[in-house]
Amino acid sequence: MSWIRYREATIDQLQRAFEANRETIPLAARLIAEAVAGDRILHVFGSGHSQLVALDIAGRAGGFANVNPIFDPLFGRAERLEGFVSALLTAHTFHPGDVLIVISHSGRNPAPIEVALHGKQHGLPVIAVTAVAFSRSLPSRHSSGKRLFEIADVILDTLGAPGDAVIPLDADLSVGPTSTVIGAALLQAVISEAAAQLLNRGVRPPLFRSGNLEGADAYNQELRSRYRGRVTLLI
């Protein structure tokens, strides 16, 4: 049955991705831990369905309160249009010490590439979540000729398949994309490691609590106040 094939394919890819990123997860976590310890901001961008992965670490229980999501209001419909994200970036301020996370399965479209280049121009380290082998097989659609993995300082490789869907139904029809599941898992692993690194340094990580827990509202409000005006608040 197809759902069993999807389950097995996803579990296999997840295990391989964690092994492939055994060294890069702690590196990405260190960048984030340093930013949090320095009272800096974690900016995150994904266009289209990659935005789902970006939002998975923003404004949620167990996540850092200093995450600033850069929203794509067109949900990917203009990600191939060079210059599109310029208007989005005017609403956000990047400072030295901040960190930028950019998510793109193919890593070839102008929107994520321009966000990554903008971050580099402002001195931010860039963490990319992308499918490296797939991206290598494709030309960039940005005038720089670069793909996302060629710009990033740290790469979290999802090991994603070409076209993302992993279950072929016939010769030209496939189902079961994995980029959201794997990308989100890798980023949550990074967040978990960063929080542990902070505690080891004697820094209490600013992690949101579930609003369904007693006393969480007051605790979360204090965290919102700490970063108000610097992040787009989701909760």
Side-chain angles (χ1 to χ4, degrees):
M1 291 184 285
S2 289
W3 75 267
I4 294 177
R5 293 167 62 197
Y6 179 76
R7 179 194 66 188
E8 294 174 348
T10 303
I11 292 173
D12 174 69
Q13 185 181 336
L14 185 61
Q15 291 175 330
R16 290 187 294 107
F18 273 123
E19 184 61 30
N21 292 281
R22 176 182 291 273
E23 296 182 359
T24 54
I25 288 173
L27 289 177
R30 189 174 304 123
L31 290 175
I32 289 174
E34 289 174 357
V36 174
D39 192 34
R40 305 315 310 163
I41 302 300
L42 312 178
H43 305 275
V44 60
F45 175 80
S47 181
H49 282 88
S50 293
Q51 187 161 233
L52 299 176
V53 181
L55 294 180
D56 195 61
I57 65 167
R60 68 172 303 163
F64 284 119
N66 62 329
V67 175
N68 178 54
I70 302 170
F71 286 104
D72 171 9
L74 297 181
F75 207 77
R77 291 193 293 274
E79 68 180 353
R80 296 188 186 184
L81 180 62
E82 194 159 335
F84 159 67
V85 296
S86 297
L88 303 182
L89 293 171
T90 59
H92 303 272
T93 303
F94 292 178
H95 293 286
D98 290 351
V99 171
L100 174 61
I101 302 169
V102 181
I103 303 108
S104 174
H105 180 65
S106 72
R108 70 184 303 208
N109 289 317
I113 291 170
E114 288 181 11
V115 172
L117 289 172
H118 184 83
K120 295 292 288 184
Q121 290 166 3
H122 286 77
L124 274 61
V126 174
I127 300 170
V129 181
T130 190
V132 176
F134 177 42
S135 191
R136 287 187 187 278
S137 72
L138 302 167
S140 173
R141 287 178 170 143
H142 188 262
S143 60
S144 68
K146 292 183 179 296
R147 293 155 294 189
L148 179 59
F149 74 87
E150 296 171 300
I151 301 168
D153 298 282
V154 178
I155 301 166
L156 299 173
D157 188 357
T158 64
L159 305 183
D164 201 4
V166 296
I167 305 301
L169 299 178
D170 62 24
D172 61 355
L173 195 65
S174 296
V175 71
T178 61
S179 59
T180 304
V181 175
I182 308 301
L186 290 175
L187 274 185
Q188 291 296 354
V190 169
I191 296 299
S192 300
E193 175 64 20
Q197 289 182 14
L198 284 165
L199 277 179
N200 288 337
R201 295 166 57 172
V203 178
R204 187 170 178 80
L207 300 171
F208 280 126
R209 295 174 182 170
S210 169
N212 295 310
L213 297 176
E214 292 299 322
D217 289 349
Y219 175 86
N220 288 341
Q221 185 57 43
E222 182 179 342
L223 289 181
R224 292 190 200 99
S225 297
R226 187 188 307 180
Y227 298 105
R228 191 172 302 281
R230 295 194 288 161
V231 303
T232 301
L233 296 175
L234 297 181
I235 65 172

